[in-house]
């Protein structure tokens, strides 16, 4: 009976996807395979049966993946995908692992032995659900934090004057109880690993709760490897810090159907549209853009997609609901003609709804003509453009709530891969497919199932 239930559950596997910067094509091909199988992308570790890591993470991102893996409930399994041709086989192997009762029982037993006692403070692991207009993807950025008890100095507390016999507080020498020695500054209060909000003055001089909430890197419809540490007062972001968790190495294979530059650009534009439409809550339009993206990635003649792309553009342009959903959301990305939208011959717009329309218009032109109207950016120019956008992100997000922040990030169309590729340390070069310091993450050199 148990085996039958397990096999039935495996037909609707929930997959939590972690994309490593530079491995977006692998992630798109995985999403297409999941759609073909009728599987579902999980929104949080608690919802996942399978952790799928697309690419070879660097040391910091690999540590995040390990901590996310620890939070998956059983039955569970994980795969590392670094070769697109092996995606179907690795997913089949993952299903076999999920229905292997003996292996799952062994995994559950080993997790029980290594579990943290209830009275021990766990790692501060945030999984706040930050939604936009539909079911909110869960945040899986994991940062260690804990109470610094070393800063509490009890030596200054004079217990000699305390009459314990009659519990007489009158005999209590409060003068000798020096609170100066109790250093609370280095102490972060935690409840089951979740940090409590502190206090801070707002612009009106009133004290409000202050809490640091990380967005990324494991977050659906979110740039790969991007971490935004948001400092909130109430539900408003008052400051933000941005960083990218890089890959250990770049992809070594080039997908043949996606080799030509116009096709690759069309696929990326459609993918950007998918992320923004999904966050805006328009699931059917997001699915249409996803199908067009997957068809182009699958090698269809892109000229045959021009009509469908133009219909989607006109559908987006006419939508009153989308206009209302994205009303007032703008990003200042003017860059003197070096913005990616300049490739279509149009001045970049700050309104993210208009940016979405321009993405679809450029994709239509690429499908129709098969060539760029304007010379595309070089890798160095694209990296500089993305770096400029990342630098402007903290100011852009200040004063917004988390849902709006996610829409603005999607509207920027950030390419973290080109930034990360220019920031990879020389020690990562020459390692091929082997991750720097994290060989256990890769399974096999070309991807593999990693058992619990």
């Amino acid at each position: 009976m148990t085996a039958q239930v397990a096999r039935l559950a495996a037909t609707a596997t929930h997959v939590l996807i972690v994309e490593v910067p530079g491995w977006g094509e692998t992630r798109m091909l995985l999403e297409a395979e999941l759609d073909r199988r009728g599987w579902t992308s999980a929104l949080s570790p608690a919802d996942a049966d399978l952790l799928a890591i697309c690419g070879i993470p660097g040391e910091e991102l690999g540590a995040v993946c390990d901590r996310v893996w620890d939070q998956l409930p059983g039955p569970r399994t994980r795969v590392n995908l670094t070769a697109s041709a092996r995606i179907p086989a690795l997913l089949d192997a993952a299903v076999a692992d999920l229905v292997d009762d003996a292996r799952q029982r062994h995994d559950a037993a080993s997790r029980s032995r290594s579990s943290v006692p209830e009275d021990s403070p766990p790692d501060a692991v945030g999984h706040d659900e930050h939604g936009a207009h539909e079911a909110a993807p869960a945040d899986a950025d994991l940062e260690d934090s804990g109470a610094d008890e070393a800063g509490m100095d009890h030596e200054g507390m004079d217990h000699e004057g305390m009459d314990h016999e009659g519990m007489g507080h009158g005999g209590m020498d409060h003068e000798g109880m020096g609170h100066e020695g109790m250093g609370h500054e280095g102490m972060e209060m935690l409840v089951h690993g979740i940090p409590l909000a502190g206090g801070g003055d707002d612009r009106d001089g009133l004290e409000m709760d202050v809490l640091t909430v990380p967005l990324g890197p494991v977050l659906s419809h979110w740039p790969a490897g991007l971490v935004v540490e948001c400092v909130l007062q109430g539900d408003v972001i008052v400051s933000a810090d941005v960083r990218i968790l890089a890959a250990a190495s770049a992809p070594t294979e080039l997908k043949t159907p996606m080799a030509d530059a116009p096709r690759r650009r069309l696929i990326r534009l459609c993918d950007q549209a998918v992320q923004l439409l999904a966050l805006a809550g328009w699931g059917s339009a997001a699915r249409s853009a996803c199908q067009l993206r997957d068809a182009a990635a699958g090698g269809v003649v892109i000229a045959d997609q021009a009509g469908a792309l133009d219909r989607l553009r006109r559908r987006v342009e006419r939508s009153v609901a989308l206009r209302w959903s994205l009303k007032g959301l703008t990003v200042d990305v003017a860059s003197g003609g070096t913005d990616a939208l300049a490739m279509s011959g149009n001045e970049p717009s700050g309104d993210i709804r208009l940016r979405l329309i321009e993405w679809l218009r450029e994709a239509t032109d690429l499908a129709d003509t098969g060539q760029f109207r304007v010379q595309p950016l070089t890798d160095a120019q694209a990296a500089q453009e993305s770096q400029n956008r990342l630098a402007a992100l903290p100011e852009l997000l200040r004063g917004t709530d988390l849902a709006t922040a996610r829409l603005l990030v999607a509207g920027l169309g950030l390419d973290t891969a080109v930034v990360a590729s220019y920031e990879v340390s020389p020690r990562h070069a020459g390692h091929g497919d082997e991750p720097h310091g994290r060989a256990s993450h890769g399974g096999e050199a070309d991807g593999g199932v990693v058992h619990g």
Side-chain angles (χ1 to χ4, degrees):
M1 183 65 178
T2 301
Q4 292 176 344
V5 172
R7 283 193 295 271
L8 180 62
T11 62
T13 303
H14 288 208
V15 183
L16 182 63
I17 301 174
V18 180
E19 178 187 344
V20 178
W23 298 79
E25 294 177 7
T26 302
R27 187 258 306 165
M28 294 180 215
L29 293 171
L30 171 61
E31 290 177 342
E33 180 64 19
L34 298 184
D35 184 64
R36 187 186 70 79
R37 292 171 179 244
W39 291 9
T40 304
S41 294
L43 299 179
S44 70
D47 183 42
D49 309 304
L50 168 63
L51 176 64
I53 303 171
C54 298
I56 304 175
E59 188 168 357
E60 194 172 2
L61 183 54
V64 172
C65 293
D66 286 343
R67 304 225 307 273
V68 170
W69 166 247
D70 288 340
Q71 296 170 50
L72 263 69
R76 62 174 189 166
T77 190
R78 65 188 279 180
V79 295
N80 286 78
L81 305 171
T82 58
S84 58
R86 295 203 62 205
I87 290 177
L90 289 173
L91 294 182
D92 290 339
V95 170
D97 198 24
L98 284 173
V99 300
D100 188 333
D101 186 61
R103 185 179 294 279
Q104 293 300 330
R105 288 180 182 274
H106 179 269
D107 179 40
S110 62
R111 295 177 73 185
S112 298
R113 288 192 297 269
S114 62
S115 62
V116 180
E118 290 185 4
D119 57 350
S120 299
D123 289 338
V125 176
H127 287 297
D128 301 332
E129 295 185 356
H130 309 303
H133 295 267
E134 61 173 352
D139 178 21
D141 178 34
L142 315 172
E143 292 294 326
D144 289 324
S145 87
D148 182 10
E149 297 183 1
M152 290 190 75
D153 179 12
H154 294 279
E155 293 178 3
M157 296 184 69
D158 180 14
H159 293 278
E160 293 178 4
M162 293 180 69
D163 179 13
H164 292 283
E165 293 179 9
M167 297 295 290
H169 292 280
M172 223 178 181
D173 180 12
H174 291 281
E175 293 179 4
M177 295 183 67
H179 291 280
E180 304 86 9
M182 296 183 68
H184 295 281
E185 291 151 1
M187 183 174 180
E188 184 176 359
M189 297 300 294
L190 301 175
V191 177
H192 292 289
I194 301 175
L196 297 179
D201 294 335
D202 72 353
R203 59 188 177 186
D204 297 322
L206 303 175
E207 185 177 10
M208 296 186 66
D209 288 343
V210 176
L211 182 65
T212 299
V213 176
L215 292 176
V218 184
L219 193 60
S220 59
H221 311 301
W222 184 257
L226 178 65
V227 179
V228 180
E229 297 277 355
C230 301
V231 177
L232 299 177
Q233 278 192 342
D235 62 348
V236 176
I237 298 174
V238 295
S239 65
D241 182 58
V242 178
R243 59 196 173 98
I244 296 176
L245 308 187
S249 64
T252 56
E253 64 169 0
L254 186 65
K255 288 77 179 178
T256 303
M258 304 170 71
D260 57 292
R263 181 185 296 272
R264 293 169 70 89
R265 176 62 181 167
L266 184 151
I267 292 168
R268 173 159 177 78
L269 289 167
C270 288
D271 188 57
Q272 292 175 180
V274 170
Q275 312 312 320
L276 184 50
L277 287 168
L279 285 174
W282 196 358
S284 61
R287 182 167 179 79
S288 296
C290 187
Q291 290 172 340
L292 290 166
R293 179 200 72 185
D294 293 343
V300 303
V301 179
I302 60 174
D304 295 340
Q305 294 185 290
L309 282 165
D310 191 53
R311 285 191 296 274
L312 178 59
R313 178 194 62 80
R314 287 186 278 112
R315 183 182 171 194
V316 167
E317 201 166 14
R318 290 195 303 262
S319 173
V320 176
L322 185 68
R323 184 189 299 269
W324 177 84
S325 296
L326 303 180
K327 182 180 180 180
L329 299 185
T330 61
V331 290
D332 183 11
V333 294
S335 53
T338 62
D339 189 89
L341 286 179
M343 289 195 296
S344 64
N346 298 300
E347 288 298 322
S349 170
D351 186 299
I352 65 172
R353 173 182 164 273
L354 296 181
R355 287 177 64 79
L356 172 60
I357 293 170
E358 289 301 328
W359 291 342
L360 294 173
R361 179 176 284 115
E362 182 185 349
T364 302
D365 291 342
L366 287 169
D368 191 34
T369 64
Q371 58 186 358
F372 296 105
R373 291 188 177 181
V374 179
Q375 185 68 23
L377 302 178
T378 64
D379 289 344
Q381 289 173 328
Q384 185 60 57
E385 182 63 36
S386 293
Q387 186 62 61
N388 291 342
R389 295 185 185 187
L390 284 173
L393 196 54
E395 183 61 27
L396 176 65
L397 301 184
R398 191 165 63 88
T400 67
D401 58 32
L402 293 175
T404 301
R406 295 202 57 193
L407 285 168
L408 290 173
V409 170
L412 278 176
L414 289 170
D415 187 359
T416 56
V418 293
V419 177
S421 66
Y422 275 75
E423 294 180 345
V424 171
S425 169
R427 71 176 184 271
H428 290 277
H431 284 275
D433 283 348
E434 193 68 21
H436 176 74
R438 303 211 50 95
S440 62
H441 291 143
E444 304 171 40
D446 57 349
V449 179
V450 181
H451 305 294

